[in-house]
C-alpha cells in the first residue's frame, strides 16, 4: 500500500507545485493518512488546490480543515485522530490530551462505550468551527507524569483516566469498579501509581471509596503511605 500511494504522489508532483512527498513523509504516514489544512499549506497546497483534491475524490474532508488521503487505509481510531488534529493550534502544536471515556476505551478497562471523543484542553481553549465528530471538551491540563503517547497523540495514563472519571460523576459506578479492577488485574494501574499520583483532596477521597468498593486489600497501607508522604518535609 505504502508503495502505491508514494508512487501515485510522485507521479503527480510538479517541480514548482505542492510537495506531495513532503506531505506524505512528514504528516500522512505519522497521522495514519490524515492531515490538516495548515499542514497541507506547509507542503505547498493552496486553499484552492485543497478544494480541488476534495472534488476529485483524492482527499476526504472532515469538517473545515481536516483531510484524509483517500487511498490510505482508514484507521480504526479515525474519530480520535480527527478530533485530536482539530484541537491543534495554527502552528500545529497539540493542545489536547485524549482523556476520560475515550482513554478508558483505548485501555480496554471497561465495557462502557464512549459517545464521541473526550479531550482535555487548556482553559480558554477556542477553535473556529466545530469538530466533524461529537467531541466533549474538559478544561484541564494533565501533568506530564499523567500523560502517555498513542502514536503521535497524547493520552492520559490509565490511573489518571480513572481519577478523572471519578470526579465527573458521569460514568456508572459499575463501570468505575470494572475499570479499577481491570486496571489492577492487567497491571495497567499499580500500587505505585496510586501512591505517587498527585491528587486533590476530593480525588483522593473518591479513590479510596472506589478501592473500598472493590475490596482492595492494600487500601489501609496505601492510605497510610500517602499520608506519610504528605506530612514528610
Amino acid at each position: 500500500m505504502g508503495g502505491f500511494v508514494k508512487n501515485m504522489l510522485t507521479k503527480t508532483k510538479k517541480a514548482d507545485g505542492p510537495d506531495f512527498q513532503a506531505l506524505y513523509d512528514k504528516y500522512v504516514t505519522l497521522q495514519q493518512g490524515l492531515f490538516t489544512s495548515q499542514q497541507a499549506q506547509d507542503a505547498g497546497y493552496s486553499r484552492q488546490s485543497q478544494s480541488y483534491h476534495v472534488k476529485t475524490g483524492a482527499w476526504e474532508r472532515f469538517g473545515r480543515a481536516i483531510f484524509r488521503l483517500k487511498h490510505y487505509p482508514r484507521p480504526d481510531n479515525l474519530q480520535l485522530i480527527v478530533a485530536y488534529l482539530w484541537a491543534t493550534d495554527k502552528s500545529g502544536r497539540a493542545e489536547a490530551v485524549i482523556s476520560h471515556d475515550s482513554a478508558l476505551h483505548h485501555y480496554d478497562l471497561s465495557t462502557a462505550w464512549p459517545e464521541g471523543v473526550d479531550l482535555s484542553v487548556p482553559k480558554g481553549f477556542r477553535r473556529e468551527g466545530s469538530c466533524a465528530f461529537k467531541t466533549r471538551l474538559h478544561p484541564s491540563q494533565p501533568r506530564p507524569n499523567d500523560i502517555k503517547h498513542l502514536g503521535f497523540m497524547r493520552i492520559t495514563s490509565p490511573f489518571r483516566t480513572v481519577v478523572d472519571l471519578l470526579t465527573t460523576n458521569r460514568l456508572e459506578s459499575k463501570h468505575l469498579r470494572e475499570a479499577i479492577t481491570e486496571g489492577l488485574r492487567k497491571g495497567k494501574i499499580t500500587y505505585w501509581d496510586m501512591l505517587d499520583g498527585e491528587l486533590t483532596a476530593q480525588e483522593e477521597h473518591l479513590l479510596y471509596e472506589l478501592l473500598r468498593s472493590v475490596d482492595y486489600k492494600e487500601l489501609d497501607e496505601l492510605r497510610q503511605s500517602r499520608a506519610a508522604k504528605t506530612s514528610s518535609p
Side-chain angles (χ1 to χ4, degrees), residues 179-193:
I180 193 68
T181 300
E182 285 298 289
L184 291 167
R185 184 181 70 82
K186 294 178 177 180
K188 294 183 178 180
I189 297 175
T190 68
Y191 174 89
W192 303 107
D193 291 331

Side-chain angles (χ1 to χ4, degrees), residues 95 120-128 137-141:
E95 289 198 283
S120 288
V121 296
K123 291 181 180 179
F125 175 87
R126 293 286 185 277
R127 283 295 174 275
E128 294 182 9
L137 302 180
H138 306 269
S140 172
Q141 288 185 290

